[in-house]
Every structure is written in C-alpha cells, then in structure tokens.
Amino acid sequence: MNLPNYLTLIRILIVPVLVVVLLTDVGESYLGISGYAIAIGVFLIASFTDILDGHLARRRNQVSNFGKLLDPIADKLLISAALIVLVEKHLAPAWAVVVIIGREFIVTGLRSFAASEGTVIQARNLGKIKMWAQCVAVVALLVAGATGNPPVSNFGLEYPAFRFWEVAEVRTAFEHLSVVSLTTNDWKVFGYLVGRGALWISVITAVWSMYDYFVFFVRVRQVASESKDIVPTAPVAKNEAGDSSPA
C-alpha cells in the first residue's frame, strides 16, 4: 500500500456517497444543499484523485501490480454508478448506458483472456477519449439537474433529436449567451445539450475503441502464430574445397 493506492481506495469509497446524495434528500435535509450540487463536487473530487494517483505513482516510482488492478476497477465503478443514477433520474437514456457498461465488460474480458495467454493489451487512446467524454457528460447532466427540472428527453422531439435548435428553450438560451446574460434555465439547457452531446461521443468512442481492442488482439495473435510457424534453419558454411555444407 502506498499513497497512490490509498487515493484509488478513496475513489472507490466515494462511489456510495455519490449514489446516496443523488437518490436521497440527505443533502437538502442535513446541509440545505441540492443533492445534484453535492454530487458534482463529489464526482469532481473523485476525478481529481484519478489524475493525482497516476501522477504520484509515476513520480514516486510507486507503480504496483495492485494499483494496476485497482485503478481501472475504481474508474469503472465510479462511471457506472454515475451513469446508472442518471438513468434513474431520467437524465441519460438507458440504451446508451447499456452500450457503455457492456463495452467495459467485453473489453475487460478480452484483456483478461489475452493476459492468460501472455499478451498484455495496453489502454488505447480512444479509451482515454471515451473516459473524458463520460466525465464531461456526467458533470454536464448533473448541472442540468441542479438548476431545476431538466428538459424532457430530447426536448420532446421524436428520436433521434437532430433538430434541437428549433426548440424555443434552446434558441432563447443561445440568444442570452450572445449577450452574456444567462438565466438559471439557460444553464439547465446548456448542461443538458453538452451532457447529451458528450454521451453520444462516449457511445461512439466506446464501440470504436472496443473494435480497436479486438483488431489489436487479433493482430497480436497472428504475429505470434506466424513466429511459431517459422522453423529456424542451420547456417550454411563453406569447406576448404568451396563446397557448401551445413555448419
């Protein structure tokens, strides 16, 4: 155990706190603060520990196998819990959350299978983009909820809502943004727009990165298979008479 691993454990312990403040009225009852506002602070703190523990582990040369195991688990618990609660709050569509969490199960299984065969699949860049998009989606959608009742799904338009700019609330929000005079409802609308946009990016990068993992895994297996098929031959040397013979 070291400081980076303790920070990772703290991130895991934060997960039930996040769920409780969002699904109960404990924040308003005991602190007089909106549960959404507390959840935003809790989630940002947890995200900061994710950045800090990796930085400290590399800087202090404290990278450990325990930390490599625990860190992705903590990340998946935090994001999964936040997204599932957002579905409960009608802030995120269930299908998108199923795709994102399902991808985590599939990729984790693939990496475990590869590790059992002696192949280590490092985190892909698309996975990092997905992680950041998920964090933006969670915070933005929490902002939409913290400023009052969030807009109805897709602003009441038929799915998919490609014409959201025609919604009166959205047009009003952009008009207020142009004169830098945002109201509480404008923050709610922009939070919802940014959150749903980031969620779409999360879904796309989740599927794309999963495909990238499979392609990388298949390529590594092919290279390993080809290397096993190569039979080394004995070098050929010439004798004094100039005839070639196996060395």
Side-chain angles (χ1 to χ4, degrees):
M1 291 299 296
N2 49 48
L3 181 58
N5 289 340
Y6 278 121
L7 290 173
T8 303
L9 286 174
I10 290 173
R11 190 158 71 256
I12 293 177
L13 295 175
I14 283 177
V15 172
V17 177
L18 179 69
V19 174
V20 168
V21 297
L22 280 174
L23 295 183
T24 68
D25 60 351
V26 63
E28 296 180 357
S29 299
Y30 293 95
L31 301 176
I33 304 174
S34 169
Y36 287 102
I38 298 175
I40 292 171
V42 168
F43 186 83
L44 290 177
I45 291 173
S47 300
F48 178 72
T49 63
D50 183 26
I51 299 172
L52 185 60
D53 62 10
H55 173 73
L56 290 176
R58 291 186 295 270
R59 183 176 179 180
R60 296 186 173 194
N61 196 24
Q62 292 180 332
V63 177
S64 63
N65 290 331
F66 181 68
K68 292 179 181 179
L69 171 68
L70 201 63
D71 187 69
I73 292 176
D75 293 342
K76 290 176 175 58
L77 281 175
L78 179 66
I79 291 296
S80 298
L83 291 176
I84 291 172
V85 173
L86 289 176
V87 172
E88 175 73 15
K89 292 290 187 177
H90 305 288
L91 285 167
W95 69 266
V97 175
V98 169
V99 170
I100 293 171
I101 296 179
R103 177 265 183 198
E104 300 298 340
F105 280 105
I106 294 173
V107 171
T108 300
L110 178 65
R111 296 178 74 173
S112 299
F113 177 74
S116 68
E117 294 192 340
T119 302
V120 177
I121 303 180
Q122 299 292 339
R124 317 297 287 169
N125 290 330
L126 279 172
K128 297 177 181 178
I129 297 174
K130 172 190 66 67
M131 184 66 182
W132 279 107
Q134 289 172 354
C135 291
V136 171
V138 170
V139 173
L141 291 173
L142 288 177
V143 168
T147 53
N149 293 326
V152 295
S153 181
N154 292 326
F155 295 102
L157 299 176
E158 293 183 1
Y159 173 84
F162 291 128
R163 300 188 305 167
F164 64 88
W165 58 85
E166 296 180 2
V167 178
E169 285 182 299
V170 175
R171 299 180 66 175
T172 300
F174 275 101
E175 290 175 0
H176 290 169
L177 178 64
S178 63
V179 295
V180 195
S181 180
L182 296 176
T183 64
T184 301
N185 190 69
D186 296 335
W187 282 106
K188 176 179 66 177
V189 171
F190 282 125
Y192 188 79
L193 286 174
V194 172
R196 281 302 186 98
L199 201 60
W200 269 104
I201 295 174
S202 300
V203 170
I204 294 172
T205 52
V207 176
W208 192 355
S209 63
M210 181 176 63
Y211 171 77
D212 189 41
Y213 271 108
F214 272 104
V215 170
F216 180 80
F217 176 67
V218 171
R219 187 181 300 119
V220 170
R221 284 177 62 88
Q222 286 177 345
V223 172
S225 177
E226 290 173 359
S227 63
K228 290 180 181 179
D229 293 338
I230 298 176
V231 179
T233 57
V236 177
K238 292 185 177 180
N239 57 26
E240 293 181 357
D243 298 329
S244 298
S245 59

